[in-house]
Amino acid sequence: PLVAALLAGGLLRADPHGLGLLADAATLEVAPGLHLLGPATRALLWEATAVPELRAQAALVAAHLAAANSTGG
């Protein structure tokens, strides 16, 4: 229900090939303060289910959040 509501509200967008959801490739952000991790990122990052890839995605999002917090954005 959450994903369906976010899609209906326009906060999430499905990729045109039906592989996952669209997000900013550099930050995995789909809307301010809303990020994707895991299989939902398959449209951007094909390998999105194994622990090493999930760890890298989490590190990317954490770095983006840390940078945003240090600059007040």
Side-chain angles (χ1 to χ4, degrees):
L2 175 61
V3 173
L6 292 172
L7 283 165
L11 285 174
L12 292 180
R13 293 182 333 243
D15 85 285
H17 304 291
L19 297 173
L21 301 169
L22 296 177
D24 182 284
T27 63
L28 299 181
E29 191 172 42
V30 295
L34 182 61
H35 297 76
L36 294 178
L37 290 174
T41 64
R42 193 168 308 208
L44 295 169
L45 308 166
W46 181 249
E47 294 292 331
T49 57
V51 171
E53 288 82 15
L54 296 175
R55 186 181 307 123
Q57 288 182 15
L60 177 74
V61 170
H64 178 253
L65 293 173
N69 285 333
S70 70
T71 61

